Amino acid sequence: MTRDGSSPTALRHLVDGKALLAALDVDRDEIEWRKSFTGFSATDQRRLSSLDPTLKAVSPDLVEEFYDHLHQYPETRAILGRSTRTVDQLKTTQTEYLLSLSNGHYGPSYFQERARIGKIHDMLDLGPKVYLGAFTIYYEGLIRALADDSLESNPNDASAAVETLCENLLSVFRLLSLDQQIAMDTYIHSYAEQTEQALDRQLELTTRMEVDVGQSLDTLEQSSRSVANDASNIESIATQQTKDMDTITTEMSNLSATIEEIAATTDEVCSTSREAATLADDGQASAETALDAMSDMSVAAEELASDMESLRDQTERITSLVEIIDSIADRTNLLSLNASIEAARAGDAGRGFAVVADEVKHLASSAKEQAEEIDALVEDITDNSDAMAESFDHTTTQMTHTSAEVESAMTTLDKISTAVRDIDASLAEVNDATDSQATSSEEVTSMVSELADQAAEVADRISDVASECDDQNEQVRSIRAAVDALTQLTDETVHERDSPPFATGHSPETPVNSDVTYVDEPFSLDSRPPHSGTDESSS
């Protein structure tokens, strides 16, 4: 296989030397300029023509030595293996090349063949190091052959022999230099095409990378900005939550203090109810005494009236306390509702707080119910107290009433005692409930404090996220700048490539890297150029 992946057989139909020479910008005028620049003149052509017998004599042995040298190295053996021709066929065409050095025709056809062979060598991956390196075999062989001819032509004149050798060698080397110039042009032309293709691929990849990376960077940059904005919004919300948590903590502290006040008031009410029970017992004792001694009823009635007045005062006080408890229950229920709303705002983090808020609400409702019961009992007490007061007034004015009426008063006092004891039991329950509320409110306060700390921590972390998003945006801008720089560098490289290069010839209107037209020609590593009936030389 050749370097471009085609088979060696396909080369037979590929290379058109005329089109290739035109692509190299080498026309007849360029050939003449190169001859002049190299010093190759009509005299050199005549000398080369005179060397035809010598070249015919040495070519077979020289070609054998040439291929023996190539077979000594694996690299050159591999190149020979890619040729479809046998070694004998290659030796024949190589011999024809050596003979073409003295054919006397060094016009466009000669150099077209040189360009064609150079291109085939390049396609077989036979680079300049092999091409030029192998020529040392020819140099050595030709120098020795020409030296022998010079000595034979001038056996008695060493100076003349050396002069003849130098002239012949100069003519040969000038022609070989022209051959090698064309060969190097084909290599350079091929490398330029490969470079151009590589630049086109690089431009395509760079363009594709610019589009793909640009889109990815745009998306990433938009996402980063969105995350940064969201982080900023979340940070504001978290900060507000922290403030709200502080407010809730303050409110819960106030609620705890209020509940403690309720507990203290309840204790006071319990004490008053116990006093009322004691008074009721005293009333019963007085009634019993009245039964035993009606004569003392007047005194007892007055004392009982005084006690009933005191009881009325106590019931009024109980009523006031019940109103306080009812007001506290309403406030507790309102605070529970506010706490439930804040817990809903907090989402998952406020679930525990919501449970506590529901418990507080339940306790408030229980307290309100108990207060209503107390109020009902107090109303009963008040009603009974009024009735009892009315009865005692009647007893005072009707001292002659029967003891049955006194027993009725004892019954009434017994009911009063029972009601007071019920009140005392209810107040004890209220006291226990307020104690539970106090404990729960402390727990809620602690939980709210922890939530406030967590909200502050979240705000700090969100701030860190926002900072990292800013850093990411900066990195995205750096990547975009690097991509832009790479794109600019590629554009500059392509621009330099598309600028007019230093032409190999004198006709800049013919592009160096113009397309080569390929035609069907026989394949050979070397081939003798066709002999034309017209003299193509400059002579």
Side-chain angles (χ1 to χ4, degrees):
M1 298 294 290
T2 62
R3 185 181 62 248
D4 62 358
S6 60
S7 65
T9 305
L11 293 176
R12 184 176 303 174
H13 309 289
L14 289 180
V15 184
D16 179 3
K18 183 176 181 181
L20 180 59
L21 202 64
L24 296 175
D25 195 20
V26 178
D27 57 9
R28 184 181 294 275
D29 291 338
E30 172 66 11
I31 291 173
E32 295 305 320
W33 185 90
R34 292 193 181 194
K35 287 180 181 179
S36 175
F37 187 76
T38 308
F40 188 82
S41 63
T43 302
D44 294 309
Q45 294 180 224
R46 289 192 293 272
R47 287 198 191 103
L48 291 172
S49 296
S50 66
L51 295 177
D52 190 62
T54 303
L55 291 177
K56 288 181 179 178
V58 301
S59 290
D61 293 338
L62 197 54
V63 169
E64 288 291 337
E65 184 179 356
F66 181 84
Y67 278 95
D68 288 343
H69 180 70
L70 293 180
H71 276 93
Q72 293 179 14
Y73 299 92
E75 295 86 350
T76 49
R77 285 201 304 271
I79 295 172
L80 293 175
R82 289 196 287 269
S83 173
T84 59
R85 293 194 171 191
T86 65
V87 175
D88 290 337
Q89 290 174 322
L90 295 175
K91 289 179 180 179
T92 298
T93 55
Q94 198 66 238
T95 301
E96 292 174 352
Y97 166 69
L98 290 176
L99 295 178
S100 71
L101 296 176
S102 60
N103 68 7
H105 303 286
Y106 309 106
S109 297
Y110 178 88
F111 290 102
Q112 289 170 13
E113 188 63 19
R114 300 282 71 75
R116 179 176 178 272
I117 298 305
K119 182 64 176 179
I120 293 174
H121 287 172
D122 175 63
M123 296 174 71
L124 288 171
D125 204 19
L126 193 154
K129 64 179 182 180
V130 177
Y131 178 81
L132 297 177
F135 258 75
T136 58
I137 303 298
Y138 289 154
Y139 291 154
E140 183 178 358
L142 290 175
I143 290 173
R144 293 182 183 278
L146 294 177
D148 291 341
D149 284 351
S150 298
L151 290 175
E152 290 179 2
S153 301
N154 302 280
N156 298 320
D157 191 348
S159 177
V162 171
E163 184 177 356
T164 300
L165 175 61
C166 290
E167 290 174 350
N168 291 336
L169 286 177
L170 283 174
S171 296
V172 171
F173 289 162
R174 285 167 181 160
L175 180 59
L176 293 179
S177 174
L178 290 172
D179 290 355
Q180 292 170 359
Q181 288 176 32
I182 296 297
M184 292 303 103
D185 285 344
T186 61
Y187 287 121
I188 295 170
H189 177 267
S190 176
Y191 298 156
E193 287 181 333
Q194 296 174 35
T195 302
E196 183 178 6
Q197 293 172 0
L199 286 174
D200 289 340
R201 288 194 297 271
Q202 181 182 359
L203 178 60
E204 180 183 357
L205 291 174
T206 302
T207 303
R208 189 184 309 164
M209 181 188 68
E210 183 182 14
V211 174
D212 295 343
V213 175
Q215 292 175 350
S216 299
L217 289 178
D218 289 340
T219 302
L220 180 59
E221 192 171 5
Q222 292 174 1
S223 299
S224 297
R225 285 198 296 267
S226 177
V227 171
N229 292 334
D230 292 343
S232 178
N233 294 334
I234 294 173
E235 183 179 9
S236 299
I237 294 173
T239 302
Q240 184 61 41
Q241 282 184 341
T242 302
K243 294 180 180 178
D244 293 342
M245 290 298 177
D246 292 338
T247 302
I248 293 173
T249 302
T250 302
E251 292 294 334
M252 289 305 301
S253 298
N254 295 334
L255 176 60
S256 297
T258 303
I259 291 173
E260 290 176 358
E261 290 179 4
I262 293 174
T265 304
T266 303
D267 290 337
E268 190 174 337
V269 172
C270 288
S271 176
T272 303
S273 65
R274 285 192 291 272
E275 291 179 3
T278 301
L279 291 174
D281 292 339
D282 292 342
Q284 283 183 311
S286 298
E288 291 174 354
T289 303
L291 290 174
D292 295 336
M294 290 296 295
S295 60
D296 297 330
M297 182 175 289
S298 178
V299 178
E302 290 177 358
E303 292 177 355
L304 186 58
S306 177
D307 291 339
M308 292 304 299
E309 187 66 23
S310 177
L311 179 62
R312 183 180 290 109
D313 293 338
Q314 293 297 328
T315 56
E316 288 177 357
R317 186 175 180 184
I318 290 172
T319 300
S320 299
L321 292 175
V322 167
E323 289 177 355
I324 292 173
I325 293 172
D326 187 67
S327 175
I328 290 171
D330 289 337
R331 288 178 60 190
T332 303
N333 189 44
L334 180 59
L335 288 174
S336 172
L337 178 60
N338 290 335
S340 297
I341 293 173
E342 293 300 327
R345 287 182 181 176
D348 293 339
R351 288 181 179 176
F353 185 67
V355 174
V356 175
D358 290 339
E359 185 63 23
V360 172
K361 180 179 180 181
H362 178 70
L363 293 174
S365 298
S366 298
K368 186 174 182 65
E369 291 175 0
Q370 293 296 331
E372 290 174 354
E373 292 179 4
I374 294 172
D375 187 64
L377 291 174
V378 169
E379 287 179 359
D380 290 339
I381 293 173
T382 301
D383 294 338
N384 292 330
S385 296
D386 292 338
M388 187 174 65
E390 184 177 353
S391 177
F392 275 102
D393 289 337
H394 181 71
T395 301
T396 302
T397 58
Q398 299 289 335
M399 294 296 295
T400 60
H401 285 186
T402 62
S403 60
E405 291 176 344
V406 175
E407 292 177 355
S408 176
M410 287 185 64
T411 301
T412 302
L413 286 173
D414 185 56
K415 292 180 179 179
I416 292 172
S417 179
T418 301
V420 171
R421 288 186 175 89
D422 290 340
I423 292 172
D424 185 64
S426 298
L427 289 175
E429 292 179 0
V430 171
N431 189 29
D432 293 338
T434 54
D435 289 340
S436 298
Q437 282 185 341
T439 302
S440 299
S441 65
E442 290 177 358
E443 293 178 356
V444 170
T445 302
S446 176
M447 292 174 62
V448 170
S449 179
E450 291 179 1
L451 287 175
D453 294 340
Q454 293 176 359
E457 185 177 353
V458 168
D460 293 339
R461 291 183 179 178
I462 293 299
S463 178
D464 295 339
V465 170
S467 177
E468 291 178 0
C469 286
D470 292 337
D471 294 340
Q472 186 180 33
N473 284 332
E474 185 64 27
Q475 293 176 0
V476 168
R477 286 191 288 270
S478 299
I479 295 173
R480 186 182 297 280
V483 172
D484 292 342
L486 176 61
T487 303
Q488 181 179 1
L489 178 61
T490 303
D491 292 340
E492 292 176 354
T493 304
V494 173
H495 177 71
E496 292 177 358
R497 178 202 67 184
D498 294 336
S499 300
F502 179 76
T504 58
H506 68 284
S507 304
E509 66 275 5
T510 304
V512 173
N513 59 349
S514 61
D515 294 337
V516 177
T517 303
Y518 299 113
V519 299
D520 185 6
E521 288 193 4
F523 166 76
S524 65
L525 276 177
D526 287 297
S527 171
R528 181 167 183 161
H531 287 269
S532 173
T534 304
D535 185 5
E536 295 177 335
S537 68
S538 61
S539 58

